[in-house]
Amino acid sequence: MRGPLRDPAHRVSRRAIVLWLIESLMGFAVFFGGALLLAYWIGRSDWSALPGWLSDNAWLLPLVVGVVTAPLVIIEPLWRYAVHRWELSGDVVYARSGWLSREWVFVPVSRIQTVDKAQGWFERALRLATVEIRTASHAGSSTIKGLDYEVAAGFAAELARRAQELRDDAT
């Protein structure tokens, strides 16, 4: 029986923590804003189906939402940084991601059809990029987020070069 999987060799950029913190804050703002609007609506409504204690204490809803979700805004980016890793080892790309659930992906370089590099607004501002590795099989595809832009560019170019070499050798 084999032991547990070893960690891939490379971490994503430390700036990915800031990216994930921004994304968490945006999610928190939407969730907390929704709780505020719902509390305002409940407090102002004269709807007889609502219990009186709910109408009188509607302000507790955003408070509870804030207290419960605020720690996750800080924990999630740090946890994701601790988990997200990647490696190009021989002829296989090995990536691990996730924070609540974990995903280990092994993509044989010989199966790679395309390698794309992408940047969203916040990634561009933080000089980060995402490398998307696609194969014919959805299960074999992988996305590695939070890479330093230069690292992502070099990694994508090396993957494309290796995939081309393996295709040329097969013909």
Side-chain angles (χ1 to χ4, degrees):
M1 184 169 170
R2 293 182 180 229
L5 291 174
R6 69 171 177 77
D7 291 340
H10 308 289
R11 286 188 181 268
V12 297
S13 172
R14 287 191 64 81
R15 291 188 310 271
I17 296 170
V18 176
L19 174 68
W20 293 325
L21 179 62
I22 290 168
E23 291 172 350
S24 288
L25 285 170
M26 288 174 27
F28 176 80
V30 168
F31 200 52
F32 187 74
L36 280 173
L37 288 173
L38 185 59
Y40 178 76
W41 178 77
I42 290 172
R44 302 292 244 165
S45 75
D46 228 3
W47 198 23
S48 62
L50 294 175
W53 63 267
L54 182 59
S55 296
D56 296 340
N57 296 307
W59 62 271
L60 284 173
L61 179 62
L63 180 70
V64 169
V65 167
V67 167
V68 170
T69 59
L72 295 177
V73 169
I74 303 301
I75 292 169
E76 186 244 347
L78 297 171
W79 198 321
R80 283 179 74 175
Y81 177 74
V83 170
H84 281 64
R85 292 174 168 268
W86 65 277
E87 179 178 347
L88 175 57
S89 175
D91 292 334
V92 174
V93 177
Y94 174 27
R96 185 182 69 191
S97 62
W99 76 286
L100 287 179
S101 61
R102 302 261 169 92
E103 181 178 276
W104 289 263
V105 178
F106 297 88
V107 180
V109 174
S110 62
R111 305 268 179 167
I112 294 174
Q113 292 186 331
T114 62
V115 179
D116 298 317
K117 189 175 62 196
Q119 278 187 307
W121 291 358
F122 296 120
E123 285 177 312
R124 196 173 14 227
L126 294 167
R127 298 181 328 274
L128 296 172
T130 297
V131 172
E132 298 170 353
I133 304 163
R134 303 213 195 292
T135 65
S137 164
H138 172 69
S141 298
S142 181
T143 301
I144 303 171
K145 297 180 180 188
L147 296 177
D148 182 78
Y149 181 82
E150 290 79 23
V151 170
F155 177 50
E158 177 64 15
L159 268 180
R161 185 189 64 74
R162 285 194 193 186
Q164 182 63 40
E165 283 177 1
L166 286 171
R167 275 193 297 277
D168 289 345
D169 288 346
T171 55

